Amino acid sequence: MSSDKLESFHIRFIGKNYCAWEFQFKLFVKGKELWGHINGSNLAPRDAEALSKWEIKDAWVMTWILSLVEPHFVLNLRPYKTVAAMWNYLHTIYNQDNSVRRFQLEYEMANFTQGSLSIEEYFSGFQTRWTDYSDIVYANVPAAALSTVQTVHATSKRDQFLMKLQPDFEIAWSNLMNRHLVPSLDACLSELLRKEQRIVTQATMEHWVNVSAPVFMAYAA
């Protein structure tokens, strides 16, 4: 296990992506059945032999963390001798579930548009920001009201996503919004992906028509 290369781990912690990094790292460690070293449910034993084995596993997880952060973070983590202490440090410093982080996400979402991105790339960026924002908001919502808030947010999320598409998709999203029953975001995304594929196919066909068109040349007598 110590030789794991983290092939499936695609997110590297750079300081501003803690929520996404934490989510994927947590799943990875749970898959290795070592999450107890981080959340404190698997404390260091007193027996010398058991402690030695525990320390080896703890070192594995610390090594994974050090392998998945930018180099300049490594020195900051050096003082911590257990993965739980290392994890708590990162969580305390970078998990900004507060008004500052919320304001930052609101600003990013307000200014985030499709631009030159593909539908899939645009949705990925939009989804990441919205998920981080929702996690902060929902943390302060009473359980009894959570379902209602989530329903309202789902509508707002869909509308914001559609309204910030490229002009090429204006007719498509307008048709979606004007339906008697407006589809969910997932259904809208599916239709937009098909629309994008048609646009790409049409552009490719037009390109080949232009390339293969006969060229007439006049020769001087």
Side-chain angles (χ1 to χ4, degrees), residues 24-106:
Q24 189 165 347
F25 189 83
K26 183 183 293 186
L27 291 179
F28 178 83
V29 176
K30 284 184 175 181
K32 301 298 182 182
E33 299 182 347
L34 291 172
W35 182 244
H37 282 254
I38 290 179
N39 69 4
S41 62
N42 186 0
L43 298 175
R46 295 184 178 182
D47 176 74
E49 183 177 353
L51 176 61
S52 178
K53 294 179 180 179
W54 183 92
E55 288 178 336
I56 291 173
K57 293 181 178 180
D58 208 62
W60 286 345
V61 187
M62 283 193 285
T63 300
W64 295 338
I65 289 180
L66 295 176
S67 300
L68 293 167
V69 301
E70 290 295 290
H72 62 273
F73 289 111
V74 174
L75 288 179
N76 295 342
L77 296 172
R78 186 176 178 181
Y80 302 98
K81 306 305 180 185
T82 66
V83 70
M86 191 178 287
W87 182 266
N88 288 337
Y89 166 79
L90 290 172
H91 185 81
T92 300
I93 300 299
Y94 297 103
N95 185 44
Q96 299 179 342
D97 52 347
N98 51 41
S99 58
V100 175
R101 177 60 176 158
R102 177 174 175 172
F103 174 81
Q104 178 186 356
L105 288 167
E106 288 176 345

Side-chain angles (χ1 to χ4, degrees), residues 98-206:
N98 51 41
S99 58
V100 175
R101 177 60 176 158
R102 177 174 175 172
F103 174 81
Q104 178 186 356
L105 288 167
E106 288 176 345
Y107 179 81
E108 289 181 7
M109 289 191 296
N111 291 278
F112 186 67
T113 62
Q114 183 183 1
S116 60
L117 300 174
S118 68
I119 290 290
E120 186 174 354
E121 291 169 336
Y122 168 52
F123 178 75
S124 178
F126 179 86
Q127 178 81 337
T128 297
R129 290 166 174 80
W130 189 274
T131 300
D132 289 350
Y133 174 76
S134 298
D135 288 344
I136 295 173
V137 173
Y138 295 164
N140 298 316
V141 176
L146 183 58
S147 178
T148 301
V149 173
Q150 288 175 329
T151 300
V152 173
H153 269 201
T155 301
S156 177
K157 178 182 179 181
R158 178 200 62 208
D159 295 350
Q160 287 193 42
F161 175 78
L162 293 175
M163 289 187 292
K164 295 179 180 180
L165 290 164
Q166 293 175 357
D168 289 345
F169 298 97
E170 183 175 355
I171 295 177
W173 74 255
S174 179
N175 289 337
L176 289 168
M177 293 292 289
N178 286 320
R179 291 183 184 178
H180 177 63
L181 293 176
V182 181
S184 66
L185 176 57
D186 289 342
C188 290
L189 177 62
S190 179
E191 291 201 27
L192 289 167
L193 287 170
R194 290 195 293 270
K195 171 66 174 178
E196 182 180 51
Q197 185 58 52
R198 289 195 294 269
I199 292 175
V200 171
T201 301
Q202 182 178 355
T204 302
M205 292 177 63
E206 290 176 353

